């Protein structure tokens, strides 16, 4: 079956007890045992919950893995992932990272002796060089946040495997509707379901999807041991969001296209970043690796911080808020919001300037979004 059909039906049969076509929200924290350790598959809801199991099964299938695991947040998923790496482990990571991911890596570096190298992996040859020293994990976002740079996932997976290292891809920006990293060679996919998968700014959640049964077993153990699990209600919301992911991603893409066309032509703009632009340095890779370009656009305004803040103030449809990937359009000033935890020098070295604004284009009428951006630029 095709992807949009699978979003709604894959691993999501009607409830066998009642025929309910949507999954019941099982609130029970514990389950009756007929004798000690004899049960019907569920023991305690941290270890497993039927509503969560439906979400995990669907995510695992949609990301082409052997299974998925749901967490209370994207960072909960990341913390559980890092729980598998003992002191002295080495991670080679992209340098353009979600701020909270960077903060957690740094925490593990200081507290638990994790070694982390941050590299610009837009050129996979840099990874080949970095892997001359053994590493335990390669960690990648593509497209990256907030600069929408791409990493050639197939090339990076090949290099990681050649040196017996696993590849993790944070697929939050693209979603499985546009890019399926495991099909390109990744071993683990990480999600913040808070963003596009949930899609309505009404839940915080995360997920891991595993390519191998061994990893699924290890991280299932850690999920239960660390306990960063989502509530059954949040699992239900994530599943509900998942059903419309296909149509939403197409609409987000149309909105982003309308917005970036206004930005790209404007003299007050130093640079508009969007993988769908023919001028994006990795546009060809985007066409090969993704089946759409997503809903995030970032723009570097010539006037620096003052221009960025004035632009934000003038927007009427876009709401100034952290987060992204929801039906309503959101706008963020990375330097003072989502990426404020990254020191300024480091931020600027990576291109996250004071004039950078990140737009998460929602599914309102694209013409209204284009008008909004046009009006906000006027008078800068
Ligand atoms: C938001 C986000 C995260 C963190 O997820 P939370 O659900 O906020 O904990 C990780 N990676 C990316 C790319 C994100 O956008």
């Amino acid at each position: 079956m095709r992807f949009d059909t699978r979003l709604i039906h894959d691993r999501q049969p009607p409830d066998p007890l009642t025929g309910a076509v949507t999954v019941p929200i099982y609130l029970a924290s514990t389950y009756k045992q007929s004798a000690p350790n004899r049960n019907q598959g569920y023991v305690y809801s941290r270890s497993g919950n039927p509503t969560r199991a439906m979400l995990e099964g669907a995510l695992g299938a949609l990301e082409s893995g052997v299974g998925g695991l749901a967490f209370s947040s994207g960072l909960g998923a990341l913390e559980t992932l890092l729980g598998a790496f003992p002191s002295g482990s080495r991670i080679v990571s992209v340098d353009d990272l979600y701020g909270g991911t960077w903060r957690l890596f740094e925490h593990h570096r200081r507290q638990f002796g994790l070694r982390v190298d941050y590299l610009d992996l837009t050129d996979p040859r840099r990874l080949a060089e970095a892997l001359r020293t053994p590493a335990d994990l390669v960690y990648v976002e593509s497209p990256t946040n907030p600069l929408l740079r791409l990493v050639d996932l197939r090339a990076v997976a090949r290099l990681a495997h050649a040196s017996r290292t696993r590849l993790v891809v944070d697929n939050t920006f693209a979603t499985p509707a546009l890019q399926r990293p495991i099909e390109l060679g990744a071993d683990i996919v990480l999600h913040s379901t808070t963003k596009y998968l949930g899609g309505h700014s009404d839940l915080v959640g995360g997920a891991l999807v595993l390519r191998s049964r061994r990893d699924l077993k290890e991280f299932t153990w850690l999920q239960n041991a660390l306990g960063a699990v989502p509530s059954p209600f949040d699992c239900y919301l994530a599943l509900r969001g998942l059903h419309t992911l296909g149509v939403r991603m197409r609409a987000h893409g149309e909105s982003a296209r309308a917005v970036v066309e206004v930005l790209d032509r404007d003299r007050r703009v130093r640079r508009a970043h969007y993988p769908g632009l023919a001028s994006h340095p990795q546009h060809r890779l985007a066409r090969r690796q993704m089946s759409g370009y997503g809903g995030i656009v970032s723009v570097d305004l010539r006037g620096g911080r003052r221009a960025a803040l004035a632009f934000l103030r003038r927007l009427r449809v876009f709401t100034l808020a952290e987060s992204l990937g929801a039906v309503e359009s959101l706008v963020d000033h990375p330097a003072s919001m989502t990426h404020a935890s990254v020191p300024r020098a480091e931020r600027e070295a990576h291109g996250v300037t004071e004039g950078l604004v990140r737009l998460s284009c929602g599914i309102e009428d694209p013409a209204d979004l284009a008008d909004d951006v046009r009006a906000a630029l006027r008078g800068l």
Side-chain angles (χ1 to χ4, degrees):
M1 274 190 289
R2 292 161 182 85
F3 193 78
D4 279 8
T5 311
R6 293 179 49 220
L7 280 170
I8 295 163
H9 296 292
D10 205 346
R11 313 286 170 99
Q12 300 172 69
D15 179 44
L17 211 59
T18 62
V21 296
T22 56
V23 66
I25 302 171
Y26 286 93
L27 293 171
S29 59
T30 191
Y31 304 81
K32 175 184 154 69
Q33 309 195 11
S34 56
N37 300 317
R38 290 198 42 191
N39 56 67
Q40 293 166 251
Y42 294 97
V43 176
Y44 183 64
S45 270
R46 169 163 33 72
S47 325
N49 169 282
T51 313
R52 192 174 96 209
M54 175 109 28
L55 172 64
E56 294 179 328
L59 287 173
L62 294 166
E63 280 287 9
S64 304
V66 295
L69 297 168
F71 296 91
S72 53
S73 68
L75 290 182
L78 181 64
E79 174 63 7
T80 304
L81 176 77
L82 294 178
F85 294 90
S87 164
S89 299
R90 175 169 178 254
I91 295 186
V92 177
S93 168
V94 277
D95 59 1
D96 187 22
L97 268 181
Y98 175 70
T101 299
W102 177 84
R103 185 175 56 203
L104 194 50
F105 280 170
E106 288 300 290
H107 176 67
H108 274 254
R109 196 174 57 73
R110 288 190 302 267
Q111 299 286 321
F112 308 121
L114 186 73
R115 293 180 295 152
V116 194
D117 292 314
Y118 302 98
L119 293 178
D120 175 357
L121 294 179
T122 50
D123 181 355
R125 280 174 299 191
R126 293 204 188 91
L127 181 62
E129 216 164 284
L131 289 178
R132 286 203 197 119
T133 310
D136 300 284
L137 201 65
V138 175
Y139 192 95
V140 160
E141 289 180 17
S142 184
T144 64
N145 177 14
L147 293 170
L148 304 161
R149 292 179 182 143
L150 265 55
V151 174
D152 184 334
L153 298 181
R154 217 183 264 285
V156 161
R158 208 178 297 127
L159 289 167
H161 294 160
S163 58
R164 300 175 170 281
T165 306
R166 281 175 291 179
L167 171 66
V168 179
V169 176
D170 180 337
N171 203 30
T172 299
F173 268 41
T175 83
L178 305 184
Q179 166 177 286
R180 289 186 287 281
I182 289 177
E183 292 178 11
L184 301 171
D187 300 282
I188 300 171
V189 166
L190 183 141
H191 274 287
S192 168
T193 56
T194 315
K195 316 294 168 55
Y196 285 110
L197 300 189
H200 296 75
S201 297
D202 55 8
L203 80 99
V204 173
L208 294 176
V209 177
L210 300 313
R211 171 205 276 285
S212 81
R213 298 219 168 270
R214 205 171 127 218
D215 281 348
L216 179 61
K217 198 169 160 207
E218 176 173 19
F219 290 108
T220 301
W221 187 89
L222 277 165
Q223 179 194 42
N224 181 50
L226 295 179
V229 293
S231 75
F233 186 66
D234 283 351
C235 293
Y236 168 83
L237 285 177
L239 269 166
R240 183 183 165 120
L242 209 54
H243 294 160
T244 55
L245 183 67
V247 285
R248 283 189 290 109
M249 290 316 286
R250 287 193 287 279
H252 285 300
E254 278 175 37
S255 296
R257 165 69 60 191
V259 163
V260 82
E261 272 172 13
V262 173
L263 293 170
D264 196 37
R265 287 201 208 107
D266 198 281
R267 64 189 160 77
R268 286 152 287 208
V269 169
R270 180 173 291 124
R271 197 150 158 226
H273 304 273
Y274 186 60
L277 282 175
S279 60
H280 186 286
Q282 296 163 296
H283 179 61
R284 284 180 53 181
L285 174 61
R287 285 179 55 166
R288 192 164 76 234
Q289 173 165 290
M290 304 173 73
S291 54
Y293 307 111
I296 312 292
V297 172
S298 59
V299 58
D300 198 357
L301 294 168
R302 284 193 195 281
R305 186 185 182 86
R306 267 190 54 196
L309 297 185
F311 178 71
L312 297 174
R313 267 198 311 276
R314 288 162 184 274
L315 289 166
R316 291 288 168 271
V317 183
F318 283 84
T319 301
L320 179 64
E322 305 228 354
S323 200
L324 56 98
V327 290
E328 71 279 0
S329 292
L330 300 176
V331 61
D332 161 56
H333 183 237
S336 48
M337 295 165 65
T338 46
H339 290 63
S341 58
V342 183
R344 179 164 178 171
E346 209 149 321
R347 258 193 340 248
E348 301 240 322
H350 300 154
V352 182
T353 60
E354 296 290 320
L356 191 78
V357 172
R358 185 189 73 192
L359 297 149
S360 169
C361 305
I363 63 168
E364 300 95 339
D365 192 312
D368 285 329
L369 300 180
D371 286 349
D372 198 30
V373 166
R374 200 176 291 116
L377 283 171
R378 213 174 291 142
L380 280 191

